[in-house]
Amino acid sequence: MRLQDYWGVGPKTSERLRESMGVEAAVAAIEDADIRGLADAGIPRGRAVRILRRANGAAGIQTLGTRDARDVYDDLLALASEYALTRHAADRVRVMTPLPTIDERDARLDRVLDARDAWTGLDTAAREAVTSAFDAYDREEGTDRVAVETALELREAGLRGGTFAALDDLDDDALWAAAEALGTVDADGSVAAGADEELDRLRDRRAAVAELETNALDVLESIRERGVRDFEEFRAAFVEYVASEADVRRGRVEAAVAGDAHDEADFAATSLRALRSELDDDVDAREATVAANLQESIETARQDVETAVSTVSDIAFDLSLGRFAAEHELTRPRLVDDGLAVVEARNLTLSGEVQPVTYAVGDHALDDPSPGDVTAGQHDSSPDREPPKAPPSGDRVAVLTGANSGGKTTLLETLAQVALLAAMGLPVPAADAAVGRFDTIVFHRRHASFNAGVLESTLKSIVPPLSTGDRTLMLVDEFEAITEPGRAADLLNGLVDLTVEQEALGVYVTHLADDLSPLPSEARIDGIFAEGLTEGLALEVDYQPRFGTVGKSTPEFIVSRLVANARDRSERRGFEALAAAVGEEAVQRTLSDAEWSSD
């Protein structure tokens, strides 16, 4: 395959890869999702990620209908990659894309949840053994030898079945022998130093004789300094000197000395050359024997070696995703044809003690959720609230209204996270979830820019995916922020109608519920409510939407807090003027309730 056949690899990038690593190696790096390899070749890391995502999942990338959807996708993969056991596993996580079929998603879910269970089933010592083995694998950059050693370390840790099933039938003794051979013998029969003591000694002697041959004049000078008087004494001194300096037996040196040299210099050069040639033969013979033995060890375990090499990388990938799932208590979603429903869903970008939420659009069969632990979703100041009833089923569109800072945008993002994770075959942050198949996920955050250009670009971003007739999920936040309220209500009505007509699903966040025309029967209005101020004058919100009810922004809570926190009299008078506008009695009652709760 030509490099330029890959998305994002133009003439300049192709030439850089060709010069840096060669076409064959570059193709292998792209097919193997090797971000580091491309980055080392001079490709900017972000560009390398984009190239590999397209190369390994172009169809899946098309699911991300907007920039905000891509941002959520990037954030999810960045978070998941933090739990990777190796650099290559992290690279593979970062280039994951939505999978095209439910069967593929189910298959990955099986692997990830098996890996999660395997990881959570390990004790501390076993986990340390696993991470240590993969650390060594990383340091050696995944060579065949370290892959075999890693497989053996995993077996020694007692890991069997499930994620590790491919390693179950390996022959430990044969693999240990193969591990010692791998990396010490090349395909051409070259044996690395340290593989055989006798071979190392022969090489040292040959090197010493070669050094004497190179410096033959110094050898002559050293022998002459011994005061030799004739050729016989010179010959004897030469044999003794070479035997001592090169650690060669005297008889071996004597057998190699020249018998017809013209003078001392010729005698020394000819003799050393002959001795080195003999040692060359010795080294070659020993190396051939050692190489044959090493190759036999490798061939004896060839199938097990290939299994270890191919499997360890996959185990690192699956186990990395399993660690991610375990850390965030992710669960298996039900993969269905239509609808999006979550029970006690949590937003993965929030931390701390927060209130999970239950929500749905489209058809679903979720039961009423049971009380669960408060974990993550929206910050919760009332963890003892009764759990919500199951959301209505069948509505194609939900219009979400309610309090400022009420978590409406975060709910949209949570739904986007659930839909994208399920599309990639990953478990989701919810107690239960049913996720349909979506050809396009349109997520649009509120952008506070009020001009025609922003309106046009937004419409060009969110309307075309909705108009295709494909399965589309629309998650749109405060559309009114980009145009005047009256016209925004008209446009929002049009989007709701179009969503229903195209049999898509949509959740639209707005403060304009009262300005909307009668919605189609397939749409409903939900509300999030502020309930008051805490004793610290923080806004107390029930982040769980109430179905079929228009939420209230309750500005008196915000004004009450501003009145209470005014820095001086003049500032307080200004906020009291606002209190009169929104209803002074409501503000005073709010302040009184906050004071009462603090007593």
Side-chain angles (χ1 to χ4, degrees), residues 17 24 39 61 99-100 114 148 155 185 187 239 261 312 328 337 350 380 382 406 419 428 470 497 520 565 577:
L17 291 174
E24 185 176 348
I61 288 294
L99 298 169
D114 280 348
V148 170
R155 285 175 56 78
V185 59
V239 170
V312 165
H328 294 279
D337 281 333
L350 297 183
D380 182 24
S382 300
V428 301
D470 294 333
D497 291 340
N565 292 332

Side-chain angles (χ1 to χ4, degrees), residues 533-536 592-599:
L533 296 177
T534 67
E535 60 185 59
S592 176
D593 289 345
E595 273 184 36
W596 178 263
S597 66
S598 65
D599 291 338

Side-chain angles (χ1 to χ4, degrees), residues 91-103:
D91 286 348
R92 290 180 64 181
V93 169
R94 292 188 187 100
V95 301
M96 290 173 60
T97 60
L99 298 169
T101 68
I102 286 180
D103 286 346

Side-chain angles (χ1 to χ4, degrees), residues 399-585:
V399 176
L400 184 59
T401 63
N404 292 315
S405 302
K408 299 184 296 298
T409 303
T410 302
L411 174 55
L412 288 188
E413 184 178 81
T414 302
L415 295 175
Q417 289 179 356
V418 169
L420 286 169
L421 287 168
M424 289 187 284
L426 297 177
V428 301
D432 192 8
V435 185
R437 292 187 292 118
F438 301 109
D439 299 303
T440 308
I441 296 173
V442 173
F443 176 47
H444 176 75
R445 287 189 177 94
R446 178 181 182 273
H447 297 284
S449 298
F450 192 80
N451 60 63
V454 172
L455 174 61
E456 180 178 359
S457 65
T458 300
L459 292 175
K460 288 172 67 175
S461 172
I462 67 175
V463 173
L466 186 57
S467 305
T468 60
D470 294 333
R471 300 169 183 265
T472 304
L473 174 64
M474 302 290 291
L475 304 170
V476 180
D477 183 29
E478 290 193 33
F479 189 74
E480 61 265 26
I482 57 174
T483 189
E484 62 270 22
R487 307 309 294 167
D490 295 338
L491 289 170
L492 185 54
N493 268 118
L495 282 173
V496 171
D497 291 340
L498 183 59
T499 303
V500 171
E501 290 170 8
Q502 295 293 335
E503 297 184 348
L505 294 177
V507 179
Y508 293 94
V509 168
T510 185
H511 290 288
L512 302 179
D514 293 336
D515 298 322
L516 297 177
S517 300
L519 297 174
S521 59
E522 297 87 346
R524 72 172 189 268
I525 294 180
D526 299 329
I528 291 177
F529 287 80
E531 299 181 331
L533 296 177
T534 67
E535 60 185 59
L537 297 180
L539 187 64
E540 184 178 9
V541 177
D542 180 2
Y543 295 100
Q544 171 58 51
R546 301 177 191 176
F547 309 118
T549 304
V550 177
K552 298 299 182 182
S553 295
T554 52
E556 64 270 19
F557 295 137
I558 304 299
V559 174
S560 299
R561 183 165 60 187
L562 293 172
V563 170
N565 292 332
R567 292 173 298 181
D568 52 44
R569 291 182 180 180
S570 61
E571 188 175 272
R572 184 182 180 90
R573 282 196 299 272
F575 290 132
E576 286 173 342
L578 293 179
V582 300
E584 185 173 358
E585 181 180 347

Side-chain angles (χ1 to χ4, degrees), residues 267-424:
F267 171 84
T270 303
S271 299
L272 289 169
R273 184 162 56 250
L275 181 58
R276 180 179 56 79
S277 178
E278 290 181 8
L279 290 172
D280 282 342
D281 292 341
D282 290 350
V283 168
D284 290 344
R286 183 63 185 178
E287 186 167 30
T289 299
V290 173
N293 292 336
L294 292 173
Q295 290 288 6
E296 183 179 358
S297 296
I298 296 172
E299 289 304 320
T300 299
R302 173 61 63 187
Q303 186 173 350
D304 283 358
V305 168
E306 292 176 352
T307 297
V309 170
S310 63
T311 302
V312 165
S313 178
D314 290 337
I315 290 175
F317 175 63
D318 290 340
L319 203 54
S320 297
L321 292 173
R323 280 158 43 98
F324 167 58
E327 179 66 23
H328 294 279
E329 299 180 356
L330 307 184
T331 60
R332 186 183 197 117
R334 309 179 209 176
L335 301 179
V336 296
D337 281 333
D338 187 46
L340 175 61
V342 295
V343 174
E344 294 187 349
R346 299 169 278 110
N347 190 298
L348 290 176
T349 62
L350 297 183
S351 60
E353 188 176 272
V354 288
Q355 178 188 352
V357 294
T358 295
Y359 206 68
V361 286
D363 295 321
H364 70 85
L366 295 183
D367 298 326
D368 288 349
S370 58
D373 294 334
V374 176
T375 50
Q378 306 292 340
H379 290 278
D380 182 24
S381 54
S382 300
D384 296 327
R385 289 191 180 95
E386 290 296 319
K389 297 296 183 182
S393 177
D395 297 319
R396 305 303 298 175
V397 176
V399 176
L400 184 59
T401 63
N404 292 315
S405 302
K408 299 184 296 298
T409 303
T410 302
L411 174 55
L412 288 188
E413 184 178 81
T414 302
L415 295 175
Q417 289 179 356
V418 169
L420 286 169
L421 287 168
M424 289 187 284

Side-chain angles (χ1 to χ4, degrees), residues 6-7 30-31 49-58 61:
Y6 292 103
W7 179 93
I30 292 173
E31 295 292 337
V49 169
R50 292 192 295 273
I51 290 172
L52 295 178
R53 283 174 176 172
R54 294 278 182 171
N56 294 281
I61 288 294

Side-chain angles (χ1 to χ4, degrees), residues 14-90:
S14 175
E15 184 62 24
R16 177 172 295 176
L17 291 174
R18 185 180 296 107
E19 291 177 353
S20 299
M21 58 195 312
V23 173
E24 185 176 348
V27 169
I30 292 173
E31 295 292 337
D32 198 34
D34 184 2
I35 296 174
R36 184 178 53 181
L38 297 186
D40 289 345
I43 309 302
R45 191 172 184 84
R47 183 174 181 81
V49 169
R50 292 192 295 273
I51 290 172
L52 295 178
R53 283 174 176 172
R54 294 278 182 171
N56 294 281
I61 288 294
Q62 301 304 317
T63 303
L64 310 172
T66 57
R67 182 188 65 191
D68 289 329
R70 290 189 290 274
D71 287 344
V72 173
Y73 161 79
D74 286 338
D75 291 343
L76 288 172
L77 293 187
L79 178 61
S81 69
E82 293 177 7
Y83 299 90
L85 286 162
T86 66
R87 288 188 295 268
H88 187 232

